[in-house]
Amino acid sequence: MLQSRYLAGASSLALLLTLGAGQALAQDSAEVEEVVVTGSFIAGTPEDAALPVNVIGAEEMAKQGSPSTVDLIKSIPAVSGAVGESNQFGAGQTTGSGNVNLRGLGAERTLVLFNGRRMAISPGSIYVDTNLIPTAAIGRIEVLKDGAAATYGSDAIGGVVNFITRRNLSGLEVSGGYSLIDGSKGDYNVNAAYGWVGDRGDVLVTAGYRKRSELSTTDRDFALRSFTDNPQGGWSTFGNPGLYLSSSNGGTTFTSPVVDPACGAISGPGTATSCQFQFLGFDNLTEDEDHWQLYGEINFDLTDTTKFHAEILYSGHEVAAENSSPSYPPNNFPTSALTTKVQGNGFYIPSANPGLQALIASGGLTPAQAATAGANGLFTSVAWRPLGVGGNPLFGGKGKEDKRAFEAYRISAGLKGKFDFGGGIGWDAALTYMDNNSEIATPDVLVGRMQLALRGLGGNGCTGNTPGANGCLWFNPFSSGVAGNAIDGRTNPNYNAATANSLEVLDYVFDEYAYKIRSQMFTADLVFNGDLPVDFGAGQLAWAAGAQYRWSGIERQNSDFTNIAVSPCADSSVNPGATCTAKNGPFSFFGALADYDLDYSVIATFAELQMPFTDSLTGTFAIRYEDYGGNIGATTNPKVALKWQAADWLAFRASAGSTFRAPPQTQIANTATTSLAYTTAAGGYRAYDLWGAANLKPEKADTLNLGVLFEMGDFNASLDYWRFAFKGPIDNESGSDIVNAIFPNGAAGANNCANPAYAPLLARISFTGACSAPNINRVRINYVNSPDIDTSGLDFAASYRARDVLGGDMNFGLDLTYVLEYIVAATTLEGVVVAKETDYAGTMDYLGYGSQPQWKATAFAEYARGDHNIRWTLRYVDDMRDTRGGTSTFATNQNGRKIKAFVTSDITYRVVLPWDTTLTAAVINVFDEDPPFARLDLSYDPFTANPLGRYYKLGVTKRF
């Protein structure tokens, strides 16, 4: 269990926290110093704290088997819906990254600190990437589960997680660990830490590398399911084999459906108007990831009263080949400049295309279809993609591979000391700068090049206008060029090797949808603290006051084909001078992006008072003012906290305040980012263009925490009631709400296409043809101050030690969170109520408020004797109800409406060996429990569960 000690800063020793597998407990020699509690700027002893803070130290981590950062964060009961387990479909940019999401309020509402100072957000997101933390350097983690904007400013609405480095390590420590995972090559890590301690200072240098291995969906039975079991389980009607359109009149109106005859043989299931394609077999549950961190820190006493601190971090991670579908279905189509036969939602395939000729010759088409196709050619339909079951030859016949790389630099330096006057006023001044970079590249098809290749005019060396001659290449869009299903091995009876697409033509039609994002942050902090000559008989009034200047910048640079200013049109890849009204860019699936370079500055002042009214009653008051200027403006936020020690064994605490979060630059700029989301009504993925809004205001919340603490000998417990009441939380509009409002019955039944009241909402959707759910092309959504949220719950923690049991000690612990309610007010868009007031506690709201289990708990039993320690840990995630309903296919699939509880057990054994060596062995998920089924692409919820099953960990640490 993550032992909950709600006495902030309770770790007076700087303990080694090891987040990689196999690092052992190795206590640093440390001198007890006056500490500053997370959530306060007032220096004092841990017992002074009145805030709900979890302290997680090295020993606690080692007893759990040294989980990874992602596993650690997900195991905290107060955390709900954290990323980092999988690419999660639609959140692919997070692959390799991690975050903290306290109270399920969104990771952007949890402030992450490193040694008490801010970190820059991960590029392309609005949260801090916790996988950049130098794990070998961490001594403890403090988790403040209360709003803290009055102390730290914006982003601390849901709480604060402070990663604090170890101190006073003397000597060299090396460690390594390996996790044996069935179906993968396993995960491993190596770490080294060197420390030097002198009379006037100390130095810490650490290095770490962690490797995560690929785990395919085909290696877990629960992931690949039939269409009947899970229609969203990687199934799409946009496949290859796919659906085509023919015309009997020789004109440009192509309406008669032609399903590729190989559908049933190598894909399927199919109907007269569609062919299902399961792309999930090309995906992974986890990707190959490389993580690295280098960290250095120096602390030096310049004088008897002045101390110098400096730290530098270089960290990063890379996903060199994130696997996905062989190609995407098109959302963007060519114009008449490329072919005389044009329809709004397809590519023209002339009858001379060798792939079409082979398809006709195979006898797979009806005589009527063969006759019309041979005379007039065919059009692709929206229910098609260039490559499907046969894989993508550019990537060895597998799925296409995306590239994601993240790299960060951070430096912080400061001085702290004490003035002799005024009773001894302490001061702390620091400067911090962080530069965070990412590079993203996703292969996609270029519309113009695809259309030319379908006409036999493709290829980088094509000259002249003769199809298939003078270096000009054909692209075959049919199954006649596909040998079989690359996942399950079924062979294609209509395969004609002569019509298989060459690597040259594939290299011509595919290019990288690529961009770089850079986020920067600079802060200047100045804090004073001391005591005032005010004493009610229990001690002087303590105070802290200061100011902060904070600058944040973010910029995006796009490749030429991705850049809307360079390549705005569907035909731009073959006609750089093309002009167009609909500037969707040259790619067939992703929309064009604009470059941007955005920044803003914040000036803040704050003050804090702590008064011991009596020997048993202490009060704290804090207030902070932040000024953003411009449309955002300024905000002032107070907070008050009380702690009453009613008896030696009983204490009460309470805190209340207001807190806020300002919109980041990308949310107020007139720019858009395109994301992909499975759209139930359309039966597949669609593009959602998310636009910034200049009129966004800071979101605000009132917070309340009421707690009681028990301490009776070796038994400790705490119970807290918490509540967050949001006003105007910043969020993006729900694209599914917009689609469901227009198509309340999914693809079938009545819709609101012709309802005048829905006209403004309808204008948000672009169609490839008439207004119908399957014809949805892309949807515009905006950042808004969304409906109010009111959430509350209970935290309970308890621990007990039984001493002298068979020559050792027994320890027991429990930590749980129960969400009483998560109520979201009714949602109105464009004057239409698209969602009624709803309590999301105990639900999974796909594409909305995420995973909100009502219960999360961790319990443990442990026996320690001498050099040996063994622990059994039980983890529980409550069941959830899928909020999706209506008359869609999902509504009839009742097996997925309830996501069952996920219960796992871990066992860890640790032994201290001779020669300063520690061995740790663990079995994770002892009973090999599969994650419970959820109607998501991977058939489980990656935000609350993990797909690894039972695996084994071994780690060794050696100190020199």
Side-chain angles (χ1 to χ4, degrees), residues 726-858:
F726 282 84
K727 299 293 183 184
I730 300 167
D731 203 348
N732 56 271
E733 295 168 328
S734 169
S736 60
D737 281 349
I738 294 174
V739 172
N740 292 339
I742 302 298
F743 304 101
N745 300 300
N751 58 53
N752 288 305
C753 289
N755 189 332
Y758 288 77
L761 209 56
L762 188 63
R764 301 283 200 93
I765 306 176
S766 62
F767 298 92
T768 55
C771 175
S772 70
N775 284 345
I776 294 172
N777 187 343
R778 51 199 325 121
V779 182
R780 173 173 176 144
I781 52 178
N782 304 310
Y783 282 109
V784 293
N785 289 105
S786 60
D788 296 345
I789 298 175
D790 200 332
T791 181
S792 62
L794 301 172
D795 289 336
F796 176 74
S799 64
Y800 174 68
R801 170 173 290 185
R803 302 179 185 272
D804 263 343
V805 178
L806 300 176
D809 290 344
M810 293 286 294
N811 297 299
F812 304 90
L814 172 67
D815 191 3
L816 66 83
T817 292
Y818 177 73
V819 181
L820 293 168
E821 61 182 8
Y822 196 107
I823 297 175
V824 179
T827 303
T828 301
L829 296 179
E830 305 289 0
V832 176
V833 177
V834 296
K836 63 182 181 180
E837 181 178 287
T838 303
D839 185 354
Y840 287 98
T843 72
M844 183 199 71
D845 185 45
Y846 179 68
L847 297 180
Y849 291 93
S851 301
Q852 302 288 345
Q854 196 146 34
W855 288 93
K856 279 191 72 178
T858 302

Side-chain angles (χ1 to χ4, degrees), residues 433-454:
Y433 173 76
M434 186 169 183
D435 193 336
N436 208 344
N437 296 269
S438 71
E439 294 188 34
I440 311 296
T442 301
D444 194 8
V445 167
L446 291 164
V447 171
R449 291 186 178 182
M450 172 57 74
Q451 182 58 78
L452 290 183
L454 289 168

Side-chain angles (χ1 to χ4, degrees), residues 59-74:
E59 185 171 3
E60 182 62 32
M61 292 300 305
K63 290 176 180 179
Q64 294 183 47
S66 301
S68 68
T69 307
V70 171
D71 289 337
L72 164 67
I73 290 169
K74 288 177 67 173

